[in-house]
Amino acid sequence: QVQLVQSGAEVKKPGASVKVSCRASGYTFTGYDINWVRQATGQGLEWMGWMNPNSGNTGYAQKFQGRVTMTRNASINTAYMELSSLRSEDTAVYYCARARGAVTNSDYWGQGTQVTVSS
Amino acid sequence: QSALTQPASVSGSPGQSITISCTGTSSDVGGYNYVSWYQQHPGTAPKLMIYEVTNRPSGVSNRFSGSKSGNTASLTISGLQAEDEADYYCSSYTGSSTLVVFGGGTKLTVL
């Protein structure tokens, strides 16, 4: 069955960077784009960007351009999202999700990774 | 890119039908047939309920249906059940560098 398993919770200081991993199984990793979405506590969903695991092509939300980098290691079916220059407002749960067809169709989601930014 | 507009909350009794609206602009909802709906229970990841305006993924109950008119998309849940109580989010393709925008979310309460 399709599964996306994310790395564990992180605590970072302001100004630092965080790198979250997302290991895929149960399907052909290079056949589907990966979206990254975050959710602050009690808040709504926010789309951060997408990556094509086959080509490595990426597209980032304007809000995160210059601060986010999405990469992959196809040999181990794993996608990564790195966010730099962290600030307290980046405290959130970060999700990876498989995009089925259109980028808006996130049909399988990881369990989420809590990132806390605190001094 | 502004978030899509959803009502903060809706409610209904078991067995009833409810509709959640999602209003955008001609640059997102109105311009493309790429509207999705997600259900999220507390402490869990979102679940895709509707994609490309009207399509249901395999395994999603046919009590859930989607539609669109102009710049407003809608999710209708018929025969409300207690397990439907959750937060619901719409999303749309935008065609800008921010390819996807979400709505602010709607809390559904089953009375």
Side-chain angles (χ1 to χ4, degrees), chain B residues 49-92:
Chain B
M49 304 302 285
I50 297 288
Y51 67 97
E52 294 170 20
V53 181
T54 61
N55 297 298
R56 270 189 316 276
S58 174
V60 172
S61 170
N62 60 9
R63 297 186 297 105
F64 292 83
S65 62
S67 62
K68 190 183 83 166
S69 177
N71 296 336
T72 298
S74 299
L75 173 71
T76 298
I77 309 174
S78 59
L80 268 180
Q81 299 179 0
E83 68 209 47
D84 299 332
E85 186 163 292
D87 293 326
Y88 291 84
Y89 295 91
C90 62
S91 74
S92 175

Side-chain angles (χ1 to χ4, degrees), chain B residues 7-27:
Chain B
S9 63
V10 298
S11 63
S13 299
Q16 289 186 331
S17 296
I18 63 95
T19 296
I20 300 172
S21 62
C22 170
T23 302
T25 68
S26 58
S27 296

